[in-house]
Amino acid sequence: MKKVLVIAVAFLMSSCAIQKYSEVRFMTDFRPYTTAGFMISPLSTIAAEYRPIATISIEFTPGFDVTYLNDETVKKEEKTFDDLYHSGPHLKKQWHEPTSDEMLDKFVEYAKSLGANGLLDYQAEVIRDLKTNTVQYYRLTAFAVHID
């Protein structure tokens, strides 16, 4: 009887550890920028003449952002007062987690403001807390260039 009980418990414990097959794909789409004449490459060099402009690194930290408002908040017009900083009334603060497209848009706009029409050695990193695995910030880095 003990053998049957041990086998039953072992079977139940092992059946809980089944992992289902899944596929997850991630992509950053450079096509809208390429068609608009702005080149983005993960490579550190290209076969064209270019002038170096700057090395750019921007960090995006998820958090409460008063400048980001979703449609629901705008409709409700909920106003709050910030006691900590003694600011006036503003629309309710929203938690904002930047998307990869949003971050790339801001990154490209900043590079364009410096006179760049391309980014080389483009890298996107997610920095996570080791204990909780939560996202601390996202870092985009590239070498801004003007391609002749």
Side-chain angles (χ1 to χ4, degrees):
M1 186 68 177
K2 287 184 180 180
K3 287 184 181 180
V4 173
L5 184 61
V6 169
I7 292 172
V9 169
F11 176 74
L12 289 174
M13 296 292 281
S14 66
S15 67
C16 294
I18 294 174
Q19 182 173 337
K20 294 181 181 180
Y21 172 80
S22 69
E23 287 185 19
V24 179
R25 297 177 186 185
F26 300 96
M27 179 182 90
T28 302
D29 192 4
F30 298 148
R31 290 176 292 185
Y33 305 102
T34 305
T35 56
F38 193 91
M39 202 259 318
I40 302 172
S41 173
L43 303 176
S44 59
T45 188
I46 56 172
E49 293 289 322
Y50 62 86
R51 292 180 312 216
I53 299 203
T55 299
I56 303 171
S57 181
I58 301 178
E59 294 178 355
F60 299 88
T61 305
F64 287 101
D65 184 0
V66 296
T67 61
Y68 174 76
L69 303 171
N70 64 27
D71 292 336
E72 184 178 320
T73 302
V74 172
K75 288 177 189 172
K76 287 183 180 177
E77 294 278 332
E78 293 181 28
K79 297 196 176 191
T80 60
F81 289 87
D82 190 345
D83 295 333
L84 182 61
Y85 297 105
H86 304 293
S87 66
H90 53 270
L91 292 174
K92 186 176 178 182
K93 294 180 183 179
Q94 294 295 302
W95 181 263
H96 183 63
E97 185 85 25
T99 65
S100 60
D101 291 337
E102 179 185 356
M103 291 185 289
L104 186 56
D105 282 343
K106 290 182 179 181
F107 197 76
V108 168
E109 286 307 313
Y110 183 69
K112 285 181 177 179
S113 74
L114 299 174
N117 65 357
L119 296 170
L120 301 180
D121 198 19
Y122 173 78
Q123 297 174 18
E125 300 175 87
V126 179
I127 310 302
R128 296 182 177 274
D129 183 275
L130 293 175
K131 292 181 182 178
T132 63
N133 200 32
T134 57
V135 173
Q136 289 184 321
Y137 58 92
Y138 302 92
R139 180 186 301 136
L140 302 184
T141 306
F143 181 48
V145 295
H146 186 275
I147 302 168
D148 297 325

PDB file of all heavy atoms in Angstrom, residues 76-97:
ATOM      1  N   LYS A  76     -12.704  61.576 -17.673  1.00  0.00           N
ATOM      2  CA  LYS A  76     -13.164  61.750 -16.290  1.00  0.00           C
ATOM      3  C   LYS A  76     -12.725  63.081 -15.709  1.00  0.00           C
ATOM      4  O   LYS A  76     -13.350  63.595 -14.790  1.00  0.00           O
ATOM      5  CB  LYS A  76     -12.623  60.617 -15.406  1.00  0.00           C
ATOM      6  CG  LYS A  76     -13.295  59.293 -15.654  1.00  0.00           C
ATOM      7  CD  LYS A  76     -12.739  58.276 -14.685  1.00  0.00           C
ATOM      8  CE  LYS A  76     -13.364  56.925 -14.888  1.00  0.00           C
ATOM      9  NZ  LYS A  76     -12.789  55.927 -14.011  1.00  0.00           N
ATOM     10  N   GLU A  77     -11.605  63.621 -16.216  1.00  0.00           N
ATOM     11  CA  GLU A  77     -11.070  64.885 -15.698  1.00  0.00           C
ATOM     12  C   GLU A  77     -10.859  64.834 -14.192  1.00  0.00           C
ATOM     13  O   GLU A  77     -11.168  65.776 -13.483  1.00  0.00           O
ATOM     14  CB  GLU A  77     -11.991  66.060 -16.064  1.00  0.00           C
ATOM     15  CG  GLU A  77     -12.073  66.349 -17.536  1.00  0.00           C
ATOM     16  CD  GLU A  77     -10.922  67.182 -18.056  1.00  0.00           C
ATOM     17  OE1 GLU A  77     -10.357  67.964 -17.285  1.00  0.00           O
ATOM     18  OE2 GLU A  77     -10.588  67.038 -19.227  1.00  0.00           O
ATOM     19  N   GLU A  78     -10.347  63.708 -13.724  1.00  0.00           N
ATOM     20  CA  GLU A  78     -10.069  63.582 -12.289  1.00  0.00           C
ATOM     21  C   GLU A  78      -8.876  64.462 -11.947  1.00  0.00           C
ATOM     22  O   GLU A  78      -7.820  64.329 -12.532  1.00  0.00           O
ATOM     23  CB  GLU A  78      -9.752  62.128 -11.932  1.00  0.00           C
ATOM     24  CG  GLU A  78     -10.929  61.210 -12.080  1.00  0.00           C
ATOM     25  CD  GLU A  78     -10.577  59.788 -11.700  1.00  0.00           C
ATOM     26  OE1 GLU A  78      -9.677  59.604 -10.861  1.00  0.00           O
ATOM     27  OE2 GLU A  78     -11.195  58.878 -12.239  1.00  0.00           O
ATOM     28  N   LYS A  79      -9.067  65.334 -11.010  1.00  0.00           N
ATOM     29  CA  LYS A  79      -7.975  66.212 -10.623  1.00  0.00           C
ATOM     30  C   LYS A  79      -7.502  65.848  -9.228  1.00  0.00           C
ATOM     31  O   LYS A  79      -8.286  65.511  -8.351  1.00  0.00           O
ATOM     32  CB  LYS A  79      -8.412  67.674 -10.672  1.00  0.00           C
ATOM     33  CG  LYS A  79      -8.773  68.088 -12.085  1.00  0.00           C
ATOM     34  CD  LYS A  79      -8.834  69.562 -12.230  1.00  0.00           C
ATOM     35  CE  LYS A  79      -9.092  69.849 -13.698  1.00  0.00           C
ATOM     36  NZ  LYS A  79      -8.935  71.217 -14.032  1.00  0.00           N
ATOM     37  N   THR A  80      -6.193  65.903  -9.052  1.00  0.00           N
ATOM     38  CA  THR A  80      -5.589  65.587  -7.758  1.00  0.00           C
ATOM     39  C   THR A  80      -4.633  66.713  -7.386  1.00  0.00           C
ATOM     40  O   THR A  80      -4.197  67.487  -8.222  1.00  0.00           O
ATOM     41  CB  THR A  80      -4.809  64.263  -7.819  1.00  0.00           C
ATOM     42  OG1 THR A  80      -3.780  64.387  -8.804  1.00  0.00           O
ATOM     43  CG2 THR A  80      -5.715  63.096  -8.168  1.00  0.00           C
ATOM     44  N   PHE A  81      -4.293  66.786  -6.107  1.00  0.00           N
ATOM     45  CA  PHE A  81      -3.292  67.725  -5.630  1.00  0.00           C
ATOM     46  C   PHE A  81      -2.100  66.935  -5.129  1.00  0.00           C
ATOM     47  O   PHE A  81      -2.256  65.913  -4.458  1.00  0.00           O
ATOM     48  CB  PHE A  81      -3.855  68.589  -4.496  1.00  0.00           C
ATOM     49  CG  PHE A  81      -4.864  69.583  -4.975  1.00  0.00           C
ATOM     50  CD1 PHE A  81      -6.198  69.236  -5.086  1.00  0.00           C
ATOM     51  CD2 PHE A  81      -4.479  70.859  -5.342  1.00  0.00           C
ATOM     52  CE1 PHE A  81      -7.131  70.140  -5.538  1.00  0.00           C
ATOM     53  CE2 PHE A  81      -5.409  71.776  -5.792  1.00  0.00           C
ATOM     54  CZ  PHE A  81      -6.741  71.418  -5.896  1.00  0.00           C
ATOM     55  N   ASP A  82      -0.925  67.373  -5.467  1.00  0.00           N
ATOM     56  CA  ASP A  82       0.284  66.696  -5.044  1.00  0.00           C
ATOM     57  C   ASP A  82       0.775  67.342  -3.752  1.00  0.00           C
ATOM     58  O   ASP A  82       1.361  68.420  -3.765  1.00  0.00           O
ATOM     59  CB  ASP A  82       1.337  66.810  -6.143  1.00  0.00           C
ATOM     60  CG  ASP A  82       2.541  65.928  -5.885  1.00  0.00           C
ATOM     61  OD1 ASP A  82       2.689  65.461  -4.739  1.00  0.00           O
ATOM     62  OD2 ASP A  82       3.321  65.709  -6.818  1.00  0.00           O
ATOM     63  N   ASP A  83       0.516  66.691  -2.625  1.00  0.00           N
ATOM     64  CA  ASP A  83       0.911  67.243  -1.333  1.00  0.00           C
ATOM     65  C   ASP A  83       2.419  67.265  -1.142  1.00  0.00           C
ATOM     66  O   ASP A  83       2.959  68.135  -0.467  1.00  0.00           O
ATOM     67  CB  ASP A  83       0.272  66.442  -0.194  1.00  0.00           C
ATOM     68  CG  ASP A  83      -1.235  66.566  -0.190  1.00  0.00           C
ATOM     69  OD1 ASP A  83      -1.728  67.600  -0.670  1.00  0.00           O
ATOM     70  OD2 ASP A  83      -1.906  65.637   0.280  1.00  0.00           O
ATOM     71  N   LEU A  84       3.104  66.284  -1.735  1.00  0.00           N
ATOM     72  CA  LEU A  84       4.544  66.189  -1.531  1.00  0.00           C
ATOM     73  C   LEU A  84       5.288  67.373  -2.146  1.00  0.00           C
ATOM     74  O   LEU A  84       6.157  67.968  -1.521  1.00  0.00           O
ATOM     75  CB  LEU A  84       5.070  64.871  -2.112  1.00  0.00           C
ATOM     76  CG  LEU A  84       6.554  64.590  -1.936  1.00  0.00           C
ATOM     77  CD1 LEU A  84       6.912  64.521  -0.460  1.00  0.00           C
ATOM     78  CD2 LEU A  84       6.930  63.293  -2.624  1.00  0.00           C
ATOM     79  N   TYR A  85       4.922  67.742  -3.364  1.00  0.00           N
ATOM     80  CA  TYR A  85       5.620  68.824  -4.042  1.00  0.00           C
ATOM     81  C   TYR A  85       4.804  70.112  -4.082  1.00  0.00           C
ATOM     82  O   TYR A  85       5.210  71.083  -4.712  1.00  0.00           O
ATOM     83  CB  TYR A  85       6.003  68.394  -5.463  1.00  0.00           C
ATOM     84  CG  TYR A  85       6.975  67.239  -5.461  1.00  0.00           C
ATOM     85  CD1 TYR A  85       6.553  65.959  -5.783  1.00  0.00           C
ATOM     86  CD2 TYR A  85       8.294  67.425  -5.091  1.00  0.00           C
ATOM     87  CE1 TYR A  85       7.440  64.897  -5.767  1.00  0.00           C
ATOM     88  CE2 TYR A  85       9.187  66.369  -5.056  1.00  0.00           C
ATOM     89  CZ  TYR A  85       8.753  65.106  -5.406  1.00  0.00           C
ATOM     90  OH  TYR A  85       9.621  64.063  -5.379  1.00  0.00           O
ATOM     91  N   HIS A  86       3.651  70.103  -3.462  1.00  0.00           N
ATOM     92  CA  HIS A  86       2.798  71.292  -3.358  1.00  0.00           C
ATOM     93  C   HIS A  86       2.456  71.876  -4.721  1.00  0.00           C
ATOM     94  O   HIS A  86       2.453  73.080  -4.911  1.00  0.00           O
ATOM     95  CB  HIS A  86       3.447  72.360  -2.473  1.00  0.00           C
ATOM     96  CG  HIS A  86       3.784  71.853  -1.119  1.00  0.00           C
ATOM     97  ND1 HIS A  86       2.836  71.484  -0.189  1.00  0.00           N
ATOM     98  CD2 HIS A  86       4.980  71.589  -0.535  1.00  0.00           C
ATOM     99  CE1 HIS A  86       3.429  71.051   0.907  1.00  0.00           C
ATOM    100  NE2 HIS A  86       4.726  71.092   0.726  1.00  0.00           N
ATOM    101  N   SER A  87       2.201  70.990  -5.665  1.00  0.00           N
ATOM    102  CA  SER A  87       1.832  71.485  -6.984  1.00  0.00           C
ATOM    103  C   SER A  87       0.323  71.684  -7.057  1.00  0.00           C
ATOM    104  O   SER A  87      -0.421  71.152  -6.248  1.00  0.00           O
ATOM    105  CB  SER A  87       2.289  70.507  -8.069  1.00  0.00           C
ATOM    106  OG  SER A  87       1.585  69.296  -7.953  1.00  0.00           O
ATOM    107  N   GLY A  88      -0.103  72.428  -8.043  1.00  0.00           N
ATOM    108  CA  GLY A  88      -1.525  72.708  -8.219  1.00  0.00           C
ATOM    109  C   GLY A  88      -2.260  71.510  -8.772  1.00  0.00           C
ATOM    110  O   GLY A  88      -1.696  70.439  -8.961  1.00  0.00           O
ATOM    111  N   PRO A  89      -3.526  71.708  -9.039  1.00  0.00           N
ATOM    112  CA  PRO A  89      -4.318  70.590  -9.536  1.00  0.00           C
ATOM    113  C   PRO A  89      -3.877  70.193 -10.947  1.00  0.00           C
ATOM    114  O   PRO A  89      -3.507  71.031 -11.757  1.00  0.00           O
ATOM    115  CB  PRO A  89      -5.745  71.139  -9.548  1.00  0.00           C
ATOM    116  CG  PRO A  89      -5.582  72.607  -9.599  1.00  0.00           C
ATOM    117  CD  PRO A  89      -4.296  72.923  -8.901  1.00  0.00           C
ATOM    118  N   HIS A  90      -3.855  68.906 -11.190  1.00  0.00           N
ATOM    119  CA  HIS A  90      -3.539  68.387 -12.515  1.00  0.00           C
ATOM    120  C   HIS A  90      -4.325  67.103 -12.713  1.00  0.00           C
ATOM    121  O   HIS A  90      -4.879  66.562 -11.777  1.00  0.00           O
ATOM    122  CB  HIS A  90      -2.039  68.135 -12.675  1.00  0.00           C
ATOM    123  CG  HIS A  90      -1.467  67.265 -11.598  1.00  0.00           C
ATOM    124  ND1 HIS A  90      -0.971  67.782 -10.432  1.00  0.00           N
ATOM    125  CD2 HIS A  90      -1.348  65.922 -11.503  1.00  0.00           C
ATOM    126  CE1 HIS A  90      -0.543  66.790  -9.661  1.00  0.00           C
ATOM    127  NE2 HIS A  90      -0.766  65.658 -10.287  1.00  0.00           N
ATOM    128  N   LEU A  91      -4.379  66.647 -13.946  1.00  0.00           N
ATOM    129  CA  LEU A  91      -5.081  65.400 -14.196  1.00  0.00           C
ATOM    130  C   LEU A  91      -4.368  64.260 -13.469  1.00  0.00           C
ATOM    131  O   LEU A  91      -3.157  64.298 -13.270  1.00  0.00           O
ATOM    132  CB  LEU A  91      -5.146  65.113 -15.690  1.00  0.00           C
ATOM    133  CG  LEU A  91      -6.016  66.076 -16.491  1.00  0.00           C
ATOM    134  CD1 LEU A  91      -5.888  65.783 -17.969  1.00  0.00           C
ATOM    135  CD2 LEU A  91      -7.462  65.968 -16.056  1.00  0.00           C
ATOM    136  N   LYS A  92      -5.140  63.263 -13.090  1.00  0.00           N
ATOM    137  CA  LYS A  92      -4.620  62.142 -12.313  1.00  0.00           C
ATOM    138  C   LYS A  92      -3.375  61.548 -12.968  1.00  0.00           C
ATOM    139  O   LYS A  92      -3.333  61.336 -14.173  1.00  0.00           O
ATOM    140  CB  LYS A  92      -5.696  61.070 -12.194  1.00  0.00           C
ATOM    141  CG  LYS A  92      -5.323  59.934 -11.291  1.00  0.00           C
ATOM    142  CD  LYS A  92      -6.480  58.982 -11.154  1.00  0.00           C
ATOM    143  CE  LYS A  92      -6.077  57.825 -10.274  1.00  0.00           C
ATOM    144  NZ  LYS A  92      -7.156  56.859 -10.165  1.00  0.00           N
ATOM    145  N   LYS A  93      -2.371  61.289 -12.183  1.00  0.00           N
ATOM    146  CA  LYS A  93      -1.133  60.716 -12.688  1.00  0.00           C
ATOM    147  C   LYS A  93      -1.394  59.303 -13.202  1.00  0.00           C
ATOM    148  O   LYS A  93      -2.180  58.566 -12.641  1.00  0.00           O
ATOM    149  CB  LYS A  93      -0.084  60.662 -11.589  1.00  0.00           C
ATOM    150  CG  LYS A  93       0.366  62.009 -11.108  1.00  0.00           C
ATOM    151  CD  LYS A  93       1.399  61.850 -10.033  1.00  0.00           C
ATOM    152  CE  LYS A  93       1.801  63.186  -9.480  1.00  0.00           C
ATOM    153  NZ  LYS A  93       2.772  63.085  -8.418  1.00  0.00           N
ATOM    154  N   GLN A  94      -0.711  58.948 -14.271  1.00  0.00           N
ATOM    155  CA  GLN A  94      -0.872  57.637 -14.886  1.00  0.00           C
ATOM    156  C   GLN A  94       0.460  56.889 -14.878  1.00  0.00           C
ATOM    157  O   GLN A  94       1.506  57.476 -15.116  1.00  0.00           O
ATOM    158  CB  GLN A  94      -1.347  57.786 -16.326  1.00  0.00           C
ATOM    159  CG  GLN A  94      -2.726  58.358 -16.461  1.00  0.00           C
ATOM    160  CD  GLN A  94      -3.757  57.429 -15.876  1.00  0.00           C
ATOM    161  OE1 GLN A  94      -3.872  56.295 -16.292  1.00  0.00           O
ATOM    162  NE2 GLN A  94      -4.492  57.906 -14.894  1.00  0.00           N
ATOM    163  N   TRP A  95       0.361  55.575 -14.641  1.00  0.00           N
ATOM    164  CA  TRP A  95       1.544  54.731 -14.766  1.00  0.00           C
ATOM    165  C   TRP A  95       1.828  54.579 -16.251  1.00  0.00           C
ATOM    166  O   TRP A  95       0.934  54.292 -17.043  1.00  0.00           O
ATOM    167  CB  TRP A  95       1.296  53.370 -14.140  1.00  0.00           C
ATOM    168  CG  TRP A  95       2.497  52.498 -14.237  1.00  0.00           C
ATOM    169  CD1 TRP A  95       2.755  51.544 -15.174  1.00  0.00           C
ATOM    170  CD2 TRP A  95       3.637  52.515 -13.373  1.00  0.00           C
ATOM    171  NE1 TRP A  95       3.968  50.974 -14.954  1.00  0.00           N
ATOM    172  CE2 TRP A  95       4.539  51.547 -13.857  1.00  0.00           C
ATOM    173  CE3 TRP A  95       3.988  53.265 -12.255  1.00  0.00           C
ATOM    174  CZ2 TRP A  95       5.758  51.296 -13.245  1.00  0.00           C
ATOM    175  CZ3 TRP A  95       5.201  53.016 -11.650  1.00  0.00           C
ATOM    176  CH2 TRP A  95       6.067  52.043 -12.140  1.00  0.00           C
ATOM    177  N   HIS A  96       3.064  54.813 -16.632  1.00  0.00           N
ATOM    178  CA  HIS A  96       3.423  54.748 -18.048  1.00  0.00           C
ATOM    179  C   HIS A  96       4.573  53.778 -18.246  1.00  0.00           C
ATOM    180  O   HIS A  96       5.635  53.944 -17.654  1.00  0.00           O
ATOM    181  CB  HIS A  96       3.793  56.135 -18.558  1.00  0.00           C
ATOM    182  CG  HIS A  96       4.096  56.147 -20.013  1.00  0.00           C
ATOM    183  ND1 HIS A  96       3.166  55.831 -20.975  1.00  0.00           N
ATOM    184  CD2 HIS A  96       5.229  56.433 -20.677  1.00  0.00           C
ATOM    185  CE1 HIS A  96       3.723  55.918 -22.161  1.00  0.00           C
ATOM    186  NE2 HIS A  96       4.975  56.285 -22.003  1.00  0.00           N
ATOM    187  N   GLU A  97       4.338  52.774 -19.068  1.00  0.00           N
ATOM    188  CA  GLU A  97       5.363  51.815 -19.480  1.00  0.00           C
ATOM    189  C   GLU A  97       5.632  52.080 -20.955  1.00  0.00           C
ATOM    190  O   GLU A  97       4.773  51.820 -21.802  1.00  0.00           O
ATOM    191  CB  GLU A  97       4.845  50.392 -19.279  1.00  0.00           C
ATOM    192  CG  GLU A  97       5.844  49.314 -19.565  1.00  0.00           C
ATOM    193  CD  GLU A  97       6.745  49.011 -18.385  1.00  0.00           C
ATOM    194  OE1 GLU A  97       6.341  49.261 -17.242  1.00  0.00           O
ATOM    195  OE2 GLU A  97       7.857  48.526 -18.633  1.00  0.00           O
TER     196      GLU A  97
END
